[in-house]
Amino acid sequence: MAAVAHEVPHGLEHATATGLDNRKLAIWTFIGSECLFFAALISNYLVNKGRSLVGPFPHEPWTSPSGEHFKPILEIPLVTLGTALLLFSSLFVVLALSGAQRGSRKALVGWLAATIACGVFFVGMQVYEFTHFVREGLTLKTNLFGASFFVLTGFHGTHVTIGVIWLVTLWILAARGKIPPSKSLNLEMAALYWHFVDVVWIVIFPVVYLIK
Amino acid sequence: MATRVQPQAPPPVSHGEKTGLWSWITTVDHKRIGILYGTTAFIFFLLGGIEALLIRIQLGSPENTFLSPERYNELFTMHGTTMIFLAIMPLSAMFFNFMIPLQIGARDVAFPRLNAFSYWVFLAGGLFLNSSWLFGLAPDTGWFGYANLTSTQYSPGLNVDFWMIGLQVLGIASLAAAVNFFVTIVNLRAPGMKLMRMPMFVWMSFITQVLLLLAFPVITVALFLLMFDRFFGTHFFVPSGGGDPILWQHLFWIFGHPEVYILILPAFGIISEVLPVFSRKPLFGYAAMVFSGVFIAFLGFGVWAHHMFATGMGPIADAFFALSTMLIAIPTGVKIFNWMGTMWGGSLQFRTPMYFAIGFIAMFIMGGLSGVMHASPPADLQQTDTYFVVAHFHYVLFGGSIFGITAGAYYWWPKMFGRMLNESLGKLHFWLMLIGFNLTFFPMHFVGLNGMPRRTYTYPKGLGFETLNQIETAGSFLLAVAFLVFLVNVFQAWRKPRNAPADPWNGATLEWSIPSPPQEFNFAEIPVVHGRDALWDMKRERRGPLPEPARVSGRGIHMPNPSYWPVVAAIGVLSVLLSLMFLSHFGPLGVVVAAGVLFLGVFKWAFEPAG
Amino acid sequence: MDAHVTTAPRHEHAHPTAMLYAKVGLVLFVLTALEVGLYEITYGEHVGSMASAIKPFFVPMLLLLSAAKFALVGMFYMHLKQDSKLFTGIFVFPLIIATIIIVSLMVLMAYHMAFARSG
């Protein structure tokens, strides 16, 4: 009876039953689970859509009982810009990964910086949007739209922020030459997470901003 | 190429196995983590049992004043929450941890430190939840926390916050473990162990991990929405702000129904291991068992509103969920027939694990029957909120999960601890448990249908509930005696020398091919598998039993280093949620500090050499 | 551009080039522009005569555009097209459950709010 000895490795791949890396499998499994997390948040948003008792409203103007006038509160142009940048950031991170896998430190560091810049801009846009809304009279407590909007986009924004921190960590490592091709899986995992966060926004953007 | 290892005289302690508290705190060994889970879970199980006994004392006579209504509410809430999240799930996790790597021929799980993290987060959550007792603020709104009783308007105290934060913490533990075991089962199987050659316990556990991954995020969101309502003034479940309490019920049960399959599938897997070994016959209908398990899991996401038949969803929704619920009885029935088919014509060995396995089948059938009765909405309108439902779920969760887990305990005890549990005490345990269990829960079918409501601290005289409640209370104390017998058994076994054979039962699966208890690296040489019931297969090839495996030095086998960063990260997780709970005390700075601890733990973990 | 150096034990098919990635990026941008454009002509400041004709199809068309973007990012940026089908399964199965949950909740809560709730 033939037997094969497997030794637990020092950080690199070893033979697995599927031939796929454990960590790549793990990040996909995590992403699958996160689909349900955002599904529940999106469900909550959709169920509460149009159910707010008072304004301000996303797409309609509103006059409060005390006579205060509110414009529709969503600002599509700014968010469209953020959406486009997030999409491009997915392109940039893929180019960074390609650079890492080829061993091109310049491409890796450069494209990763571009990715991070887009991510930071997106978070910045959201912070601006949130503070603007609060100034305009929409808070978590104001109505169901405020509650659902801030919770849904807030959790998404938190995910983006965690992604940015992850990418910045990798960027620092990359700049120091610590991401050779053999370690590109570390970036691939972060990239997959980043794409997922982008894909969630691809759903949130029309649902929240474009559908009345 | 095989690693040549030299057999030596058995050392008193396995090579590399350290002793002492610090070695347990920093362990990343799946076997030790399994024992940590099991010990902790068993203590919580006893705690939940005491909570049950207190409930039964109160209900033993009508208009009793042993417990105040408030205390009663806390007790049934904590009993349910403890038994589900702190007993059954982590007891199953004990077996996932100890047995899955052994059964698939691996040296450990895919992510040993993540494994340790899961345990420490579970411990943190369980301790946090139960710390509420010390403040006299135990959760008191049911294990299901229906809105808007849980709103700050109707539950202004910290009770609900303990429950909310505690469950959130526990959810993180479960999710981390689920990712780990999913990857382990997919990727770390020994050469030749195709999916359809895996032991049935591994299959059922695999399906359980998928359910965990898909169901827990939903309750995570529900708990966050409740958190925002309670801490930040949103109105998700508050009608005056436009919210709807029914949304909570939907979100909770979308999690809650898959959760009950999470509770029972591991027991199904254990029974599917025990019955073949003690019938000396392979599991009947392996493929049907796999597919019925998969079908149950998938369909389990389509039945949740059968918990809401009394909420007025309308005839179409009622009919849909009634049909899906009745449908899910079919794959369950398939399993029961296959278990019986396994025993049919087998050479039955009536040892303690087999007693509990057969008891499981009988009790689970009874629980399943009352379950199918609930599936009819008009019938359920009579049954819901009565003791009839309490009878149902105790038959499936105690008669099912606990009997199954107990079967697993007796079956795998020699492998885990190197000692055999005493047969006579085991059988005494069984009979006391079977009789005590049925005395406690069978009468509940009758008092329930006669109108005794759930979750109510007392009942008036003269409604005809007295006698049966007395019997139920007596039965519960008999159950307590049964567990005392088990403790005696465990204690007497612990005092014996650690010399159980590797394969006391003539097992079919790989865990029985290595010493009891296994050495740190599990297998001296990773086995190559050629069929189902890999070990029976190997014995067939040899035309006889395998020799008692020697303890070897394990030189040249590199195992991961121990680490304390998972503990730090676990503390970070609890701290972050606590800082939100006490935002008014510690302010945003508290959140920042807590997040800092979490990030420190995670970063140090990430950059630590895996070893 | 260059051949892809893989570190996985399994060998993968011919890897997408940077040019392909850029093209996908362009398509994503165009699809987003279409989404916003569709909104503008139906409900926005540039509402035209076609608005009322489009309205019944607005949501389905928007969802289709989003689905296309979703699929493109998944297949090309997340490499699902080239990678093992196991990853596609791990992604798609939860998405199916997610869709069931979203649709069910919308239907159930809509009925509830229309008929069952008082006021």
Side-chain angles (χ1 to χ4, degrees):
Chain A
M1 175 182 75
V4 173
H6 285 212
E7 296 188 5
V8 175
H10 294 262
L12 231 100
E13 2 260 349
H14 44 93
T16 60
T18 55
L20 305 169
D21 188 283
N22 284 344
R23 288 167 294 166
K24 189 164 171 180
L25 195 52
I27 194 75
W28 270 113
T29 305
F30 174 66
I31 285 172
S33 182
E34 287 258 84
C35 287
L36 271 298
F37 180 79
F38 282 104
L41 282 172
I42 290 171
S43 297
N44 177 64
Y45 183 87
L46 286 171
V47 154
N48 290 325
K49 207 165 151 59
R51 300 264 144 213
S52 293
L53 299 177
V54 298
F57 298 116
H59 296 104
E60 258 92 44
W62 178 64
T63 308
S64 72
S66 55
E68 226 183 318
H69 292 286
F70 293 91
K71 298 189 314 244
I73 202 157
L74 292 178
E75 287 187 8
I76 311 253
L78 179 64
V79 180
T80 305
L81 178 59
T83 304
L85 281 173
L86 200 61
L87 280 173
F88 282 130
S89 75
S90 271
L91 168 63
F92 298 153
V93 80
V94 157
L95 293 173
L97 179 61
S98 178
Q101 288 165 335
R102 304 194 301 271
S104 163
R105 199 203 297 194
K106 240 175 62 157
L108 164 57
V109 171
W111 289 119
L112 201 47
T115 311
I116 293 168
C118 290
V120 168
F121 181 91
F122 183 88
V123 176
M125 171 210 80
Q126 287 228 285
V127 169
Y128 166 78
E129 196 189 21
F130 281 23
T131 46
H132 176 71
F133 283 7
V134 169
R135 264 199 312 270
E136 292 292 304
L138 182 75
T139 66
L140 276 169
K141 301 186 196 191
T142 311
N143 55 13
L144 276 182
F145 167 65
S148 308
F149 172 83
F150 284 118
V151 165
L152 173 60
T153 56
F155 269 110
H156 176 263
T158 309
H159 278 75
V160 177
T161 308
I162 292 173
V164 167
I165 295 174
W166 193 351
L167 289 173
V168 167
T169 311
L170 289 170
W171 186 83
I172 294 173
L173 286 173
R176 294 184 184 166
K178 296 216 175 129
I179 306 190
S182 59
K183 292 211 167 151
S184 65
L185 186 73
N186 291 329
L187 177 58
E188 192 175 359
M189 287 172 68
L192 283 169
Y193 173 82
W194 189 256
H195 292 309
F196 174 69
V197 161
D198 186 20
V199 142
V200 171
W201 187 255
I202 286 174
V203 176
I204 292 180
F205 176 60
V207 164
V208 172
Y209 292 91
L210 301 184
I211 297 181
K212 297 183 76 153
Chain B
M1 201 189 83
T3 301
R4 291 270 159 253
V5 285
Q6 297 296 346
Q8 297 172 347
V13 163
S14 292
H15 173 75
E17 185 190 297
K18 298 166 202 58
T19 51
L21 183 62
W22 188 246
S23 72
W24 282 89
I25 291 176
T26 58
T27 187
V28 295
D29 179 343
H30 69 100
K31 301 181 286 299
R32 285 206 161 182
I33 293 172
I35 291 175
L36 285 171
Y37 264 110
T39 315
T40 311
F42 188 68
I43 294 172
F44 281 128
F45 177 73
L46 293 178
L47 184 58
I50 291 171
E51 287 157 356
L53 289 178
L54 292 170
I55 292 173
R56 283 313 325 162
I57 293 172
Q58 165 66 12
L59 293 176
S61 43
E63 294 165 31
N64 203 351
T65 52
F66 174 68
L67 295 171
S68 67
E70 292 78 16
R71 186 64 75 216
Y72 186 85
N73 291 348
E74 291 179 338
L75 281 168
F76 77 70
T77 302
M78 288 300 279
H79 168 74
T81 307
T82 297
M83 286 307 196
I84 289 172
F85 295 103
L86 304 181
I88 296 183
M89 287 178 77
L91 284 171
S92 301
M94 161 178 66
F95 292 126
F96 296 157
N97 267 281
F98 209 107
M99 293 306 159
I100 290 178
L102 299 185
Q103 288 201 323
I104 62 175
R107 295 207 186 286
D108 207 307
V109 295
F111 305 105
R113 284 173 300 177
L114 189 65
N115 203 12
F117 172 77
S118 292
Y119 169 74
W120 294 109
V121 173
F122 152 65
L123 179 67
L127 288 177
F128 173 72
L129 194 56
N130 280 285
S131 71
S132 61
W133 286 116
L134 301 174
F135 302 103
L137 289 168
D140 56 356
T141 45
W143 84 276
F144 42 84
Y146 274 5
N148 53 346
L149 179 59
T150 48
S151 65
T152 45
Q153 179 183 7
Y154 295 108
S155 291
L158 289 174
N159 318 48
V160 172
D161 298 325
F162 273 105
W163 181 80
M164 195 171 65
I165 302 282
L167 282 194
Q168 204 71 295
V169 172
L170 293 169
I172 291 170
S174 292
L175 279 167
V179 172
N180 214 343
F181 286 113
F182 183 89
V183 174
T184 301
I185 292 171
V186 169
N187 248 8
L188 265 54
R189 285 167 286 138
M193 184 172 285
K194 304 195 236 200
L195 285 174
M196 293 303 270
R197 289 179 180 173
M198 296 196 307
M200 195 49 64
F201 176 69
V202 179
W203 255 117
M204 294 298 108
S205 304
F206 182 58
I207 296 170
T208 305
Q209 308 313 315
V210 173
L211 284 174
L212 284 163
L213 288 165
L214 299 176
F216 263 87
V218 180
I219 192 176
T220 304
V221 168
L223 289 170
F224 271 128
L225 295 178
L226 181 63
M227 211 186 288
F228 272 81
D229 269 12
R230 288 183 62 83
F231 295 165
F232 303 123
T234 52
H235 300 96
F236 291 116
F237 307 121
V238 178
S240 60
D244 201 324
I246 272 278
L247 179 63
W248 168 269
Q249 290 193 36
H250 278 295
L251 289 173
F252 181 82
W253 288 115
I254 289 172
F255 152 77
H257 197 82
E259 168 67 7
V260 312
Y261 293 113
I262 289 166
L263 294 171
I264 197 65
L265 282 172
F268 280 0
I270 295 173
I271 299 308
S272 303
E273 297 287 322
V274 169
L275 285 176
V277 169
F278 292 88
S279 309
R280 300 230 196 278
K281 220 174 133 242
L283 184 67
F284 184 88
Y286 179 99
M289 294 298 259
V290 170
F291 292 120
S292 60
V294 171
F295 190 57
I296 286 172
F298 184 67
L299 202 54
F301 276 97
V303 301
W304 80 85
H306 66 220
H307 298 271
M308 298 167 63
F309 280 148
T311 61
M313 294 186 295
I316 300 178
D318 277 357
F320 175 83
F321 283 103
L323 279 172
S324 59
T325 305
M326 292 180 195
L327 198 61
I328 209 165
I330 296 178
T332 315
V334 163
K335 287 183 177 298
I336 292 176
F337 281 112
N338 281 8
W339 286 321
M340 300 205 287
T342 304
M343 293 192 289
W344 186 267
S347 165
L348 303 187
Q349 314 292 310
F350 287 102
R351 313 291 293 277
T352 309
M354 188 61 157
Y355 273 63
F356 281 101
I358 297 175
F360 165 95
I361 297 178
M363 298 301 103
F364 186 78
I365 289 176
M366 290 169 67
L369 287 173
S370 54
V372 158
M373 289 167 69
H374 299 327
S376 159
D380 190 56
L381 280 181
Q382 165 109 25
Q383 299 158 12
T384 200
D385 255 5
T386 71
Y387 266 81
F388 193 83
V389 180
V390 179
H392 158 68
F393 65 70
H394 281 96
Y395 266 85
V396 288
L397 286 180
F398 194 126
S401 301
I402 295 293
F403 269 71
I405 287 169
T406 311
Y410 278 94
Y411 178 55
W412 277 315
W413 201 271
K415 182 57 55 186
M416 293 193 290
F417 300 108
R419 298 154 173 108
M420 304 290 294
L421 286 171
N422 179 279
E423 269 299 304
S424 309
L425 283 176
K427 284 168 178 155
L428 178 62
H429 174 193
F430 170 77
W431 288 111
L432 288 174
M433 190 148 118
L434 186 72
I435 295 170
F437 168 75
N438 281 288
L439 276 179
T440 311
F441 296 107
F442 194 69
M444 289 186 186
H445 294 101
F446 297 101
V447 293
L449 284 181
N450 284 336
M452 182 173 173
R454 287 172 76 170
R455 309 165 180 157
T456 318
Y457 82 110
T458 192
Y459 51 93
K461 295 194 195 49
L463 287 179
F465 298 150
E466 289 89 328
T467 316
L468 291 181
N469 268 282
Q470 281 170 348
I471 295 174
E472 291 166 13
T473 299
S476 66
F477 278 88
L478 196 59
L479 273 175
V481 174
F483 281 102
L484 279 173
V485 170
F486 178 68
L487 282 172
V488 168
N489 203 349
V490 167
F491 183 66
Q492 68 83 33
W494 181 56
R495 299 181 66 216
K496 292 201 296 220
R498 214 160 62 154
N499 58 6
D503 186 14
W505 312 118
N506 189 5
T509 40
L510 290 174
E511 72 269 30
W512 306 107
S513 70
I514 55 180
S516 300
Q519 296 180 269
E520 194 194 348
F521 47 82
N522 299 344
F523 298 90
E525 291 175 359
I526 300 291
V528 175
V529 168
H530 299 289
R532 260 172 229 164
D533 299 327
L535 195 60
W536 276 352
D537 205 48
M538 292 176 188
K539 292 172 188 174
R540 244 194 312 272
E541 265 181 47
R542 284 182 65 97
R543 301 187 201 290
L546 297 179
E548 182 73 19
R551 291 189 175 275
V552 296
S553 80
R555 237 192 312 270
I557 302 177
H558 196 131
M559 295 301 289
N561 292 333
S563 171
Y564 48 76
W565 293 116
V567 183
V568 175
I571 293 172
V573 167
L574 179 61
S575 308
V576 168
L577 287 164
L578 277 178
S579 67
L580 290 171
M581 183 166 159
F582 294 108
L583 202 56
S584 49
H585 280 274
F586 299 114
L589 181 64
V591 183
V592 170
V593 169
V597 173
L598 178 58
F599 274 106
L600 174 74
V602 170
F603 267 78
K604 288 298 235 177
W605 171 354
F607 289 104
E608 186 181 48
Chain C
M1 237 152 114
D2 307 286
H4 167 62
V5 173
T6 176
T7 54
R10 276 241 298 250
H11 216 67
E12 292 162 3
H13 306 294
H15 204 81
T17 61
M19 184 52 84
L20 179 62
Y21 289 142
K23 283 190 198 158
V24 169
L26 193 62
V27 173
L28 288 170
F29 180 74
V30 166
L31 288 173
T32 308
L34 283 175
E35 281 179 327
V36 178
L38 193 65
Y39 171 81
E40 289 295 333
I41 63 175
T42 315
Y43 293 107
E45 292 164 14
H46 306 280
V47 169
S49 51
M50 299 241 300
S52 45
I54 296 178
K55 272 188 190 154
F57 303 103
F58 178 71
V59 171
M61 282 171 70
L62 211 58
L63 290 179
L64 227 80
L65 288 168
S66 312
K69 288 162 71 178
F70 198 111
L72 282 171
V73 173
M75 288 200 309
F76 292 101
Y77 287 169
M78 298 173 97
H79 293 144
L80 283 178
K81 191 156 179 285
Q82 291 85 31
D83 276 349
S84 161
K85 296 222 183 335
L86 178 61
F87 295 131
T88 304
I90 292 175
F91 196 32
V92 167
F93 183 69
L95 284 176
I96 294 174
I97 304 278
T99 312
I100 292 174
I101 288 175
I102 294 176
V103 171
S104 309
L105 276 178
M106 286 176 69
V107 168
L108 286 164
M109 290 302 289
Y111 175 91
H112 172 76
M113 293 193 251
F115 297 109
R117 249 183 12 183
S118 50

